[in-house]
Amino acid sequence: MRLAQRSAAALLLSLAAAGAALAAPRVPASDDEVVEKLPAIAGWLDAQRKLRRELAQRPGDEATAIEAATAYLDLARSQGDARYAGQAAAALQAWDAMPIARTPPAVLVMRATVAQFLHDFDGAESLLKAALARRPADPQGWITLATVLRVRGRYDESDAACRALGRVGPAL
């Protein structure tokens, strides 16, 4: 019986090793290579398709880019698929090469919201602080910063951001 157990164990180990070899990461030959396409977005309304076309025509339009990024991030949340968060980030790519000091604060807040979704809390905090330094009356910036700080266990700082929100935001 011991021989049969050893043979079975050896077979399982060799199958596991073969499976691991097949699971090696695939590295694209260039950044232009498409490795996967997201499925068609079921349930997207005509307005959302129109928004996507507008973004393609005017990628540097701040309002359109933020609206598209918001729609993609909502989809990432509802579908539980972080790839749509990548689409949200791509909607904001017109500002990628721009220094943070010249990037519109609303774009910084949206980028931070995407970073928060992807659990890049350091990046989100940095972007939010840069946006709030230039636009301290931004309620979305304060609530997002309060959330990021709370998740990180920095409760006193989170409470301070909530107080700032109370000073600049609408009455709740």
Side-chain angles (χ1 to χ4, degrees), residues 81-102:
D81 190 340
R83 294 177 298 178
Y84 291 113
Q87 295 289 324
L92 304 169
Q93 73 182 359
W95 294 273
D96 282 355
M98 190 175 290
I100 287 179
R102 290 188 30 228

Side-chain angles (χ1 to χ4, degrees), residues 54-67:
E54 287 176 16
L55 180 63
Q57 293 168 354
R58 297 186 327 273
D61 180 70
E62 180 181 337
T64 302
I66 290 172
E67 187 178 350

